Amino acid sequence: MSGGVRILIATLVSALFLLIYDIFVIRPKVEKQKQLVKQSEHIHQESTEKEKRFLQEHESLSGADIFITPGSVTFFPLIDDNFVKVIFSWGIMEKVELKNFKLKVDSNDNFYYDKPFKFSLFRSDGTEIVPTKFEVSNDTIIFFSEPLSFVVSYSKVSKYVFDLDIRLFGDFIDVVPIFYLRKSKEDNSEIVAFTPNMKNVKDLKVGNIVDFFGEKSRYFSFLVMPSCKVYFSASKESFSSFSCDRIISKGLAELKFRFFTGPKIDDELEVFDKKAKDIASFGFLHPISKFIVVSLEFINSFVGNLGFSIIILSLLVRLIFTPLNIISLKSMKKLKDIQPQIEKIKEKYKDDKERASREIFELYRREKINPFSGCLPMLIQIPIFIALYQALLNSIDLRHAPFVLWIKDLSSPETLFTLKIGGWAFEFHLLPVLMGATFLAQQIISPQTSDDLAFKISFNYIMPIMFIFILWSAPAGLHLYWITMNILSILHQFIFIKK
């Protein structure tokens, strides 16, 4: 047999082998995979339809109705350490207390979440599983609901992160998990979900897949990350609901949760999930706000009072911008000096405004004056002002930080006294008035760049008064910063005038 014939036979045998392998091995695997995908899609669709039916049946229920503790189950102190205390009953986080943070400035009670989360397991017929008995063994709680039993265990991961593990036992397990997140009464709180970017649940569509969900407020967050694939279901005024794929198993199934409950600290949020750090963002000026917080903490480590630390920070900012402020004052002084020439040009070309503008800009060029340089220091300091505002509003390090006298919280508006007339109450804040008064004084002694009476009235008098009302309810720390900057500006201008 020649070599060519042998190669031909070998090729035919190889092709035949590959064909047989494809028919009896590859194709059955592909078909099986397609069937599994279809089965999974069918199961999820069936689960979703059941959940929709359940939610429609319970559409009128309020958060109070959903977060009712089963009468057959007692409360369990799930975690109780130096940082958090978690009270648990079947499916419900009854209370989550943060031990190192007071509820209010003068309160003896710690900050807490009241029934923030519940998970429910529903049978295939749509009825909810409610255990009738339970046993406690060390760090494990066993719940019984015929024909299933549930072993709940927990473990602490970090200061404000912990895991909850639920193992389901039974001859045949067929349940649909639904999760409820209850909105607290904390200021500026909102329920959010990561998809994978952080979004308010109001911006989600039913069926959107989310990585984890929770509530965020000014200083604290409560986040939940189930081990299953989570879908957004519905959002109501006081709570939102989520679900995951139907769990079908023989003998054993497992559902895990990771929780974050605590202040919005980058390191702790990263332990929960790296994407959760977005929760602690100060916004588009985050780097500046973060730098301000770190700077205040550093200064405060020597001073011991955040109010005085803000004053020192104001001094440092003013010192840094002194060269620009000097340029601004010189420019404003030059503008004042050439004001008579500008008025002559306006009078000469009163019928030709375009020619008047050209002549005025030519005058600026000859005198080497930049008419916009006077605004430069203020424009540069605006981002710092906004960044400080965001830091005071959202940084846990500045929460409930006292200053002196009646100012007990630099992150909130201070109240000198409250005027009550019948059912109406007016809180008088002194710092906004002082801010407006110092702003007014600064405007009056600044070199006047225009003789226009209307401009002087609006710029020197009306604007400071407007800022009093605009920033009436701003944090006391922000007013303290602005008052200090105004006083420093007034002193600087007096020194400049004398020179």
Side-chain angles (χ1 to χ4, degrees), residues 184-351:
S184 71
K185 297 179 180 179
E186 180 70 359
D187 290 342
N188 300 315
S189 64
E190 60 176 329
I191 297 179
V192 296
F194 283 73
T195 63
N197 300 319
M198 183 174 66
K199 291 184 179 179
N200 189 299
V201 290
K202 294 177 182 178
D203 300 324
L204 296 180
K205 296 181 180 179
V206 175
N208 282 161
I209 298 174
V210 303
D211 296 333
F212 55 90
F213 55 89
E215 179 192 273
K216 74 162 188 170
S217 59
R218 282 178 62 180
Y219 303 108
F220 304 102
S221 280
F222 181 89
L223 305 175
V224 186
M225 182 165 56
S227 58
C228 58
K229 183 182 286 187
V230 181
Y231 304 89
F232 171 69
S233 300
S235 176
K236 299 188 75 172
E237 185 177 350
S238 60
F239 68 93
S240 293
S241 62
F242 303 82
S243 67
C244 72
D245 289 328
R246 184 176 173 186
I247 299 174
I248 299 177
S249 178
K250 290 184 178 180
L252 172 66
E254 190 171 32
L255 182 61
K256 294 182 178 181
F257 298 91
R258 171 155 288 191
F259 292 92
F260 172 89
T261 174
K264 297 190 294 185
I265 301 173
D266 286 347
D267 293 343
E268 288 292 314
L269 287 166
E270 194 169 7
V271 171
F272 176 80
D273 188 274
K274 290 184 178 180
K275 294 189 292 293
K277 289 179 68 176
D278 290 347
I279 289 281
S281 174
F282 291 114
F284 70 100
L285 292 174
H286 177 80
I288 301 176
S289 295
K290 193 67 180 177
F291 179 76
I292 288 173
V293 171
V294 172
S295 300
L296 283 174
E297 288 177 347
F298 177 75
I299 297 170
N300 194 53
S301 64
F302 298 98
V303 177
N305 184 296
L306 273 168
F308 290 114
S309 299
I310 289 174
I311 292 173
I312 293 172
L313 179 67
S314 305
L315 286 166
L316 293 174
V317 171
R318 185 71 192 186
L319 186 63
I320 292 169
F321 287 106
T322 293
L324 285 175
N325 289 320
I326 291 173
I327 293 172
S328 172
L329 288 171
K330 286 181 178 180
S331 177
M332 291 172 72
K333 178 68 167 55
K334 286 183 178 179
L335 281 171
K336 182 181 179 182
D337 293 339
I338 66 169
Q339 196 62 38
Q341 298 179 57
I342 293 175
E343 292 302 323
K344 287 181 180 179
I345 292 172
K346 287 182 177 178
E347 179 64 26
K348 184 177 180 180
Y349 300 104
K350 59 183 179 181
D351 297 327

Side-chain angles (χ1 to χ4, degrees), residues 352-385:
D352 189 351
K353 292 184 178 180
E354 186 177 343
R355 177 69 183 275
S357 297
R358 289 202 305 268
E359 292 296 328
I360 290 171
F361 274 99
E362 179 61 27
L363 177 62
Y364 289 154
R365 189 187 65 78
R366 288 198 308 269
E367 298 294 334
K368 298 180 179 179
I369 296 173
N370 183 352
F372 303 107
S373 61
C375 303
L376 184 61
M378 183 177 289
L379 291 174
I380 293 176
Q381 290 180 65
I382 285 174
I384 297 176
F385 183 79

Side-chain angles (χ1 to χ4, degrees), residues 22 38 47 55-56 69 72 100 118 120 135 152 166 182 204 250 269 279 309-310 321 340 371 377 382 414:
D22 179 68
K38 288 181 179 179
S47 301
L55 290 173
Q56 288 170 357
T69 305
S72 57
N100 295 324
K118 175 184 179 180
S120 295
E135 293 179 4
V152 179
I166 304 170
R182 188 182 191 184
L204 296 180
K250 290 184 178 180
L269 287 166
I279 289 281
S309 299
I310 289 174
F321 287 106
I382 285 174
E414 45 73 40

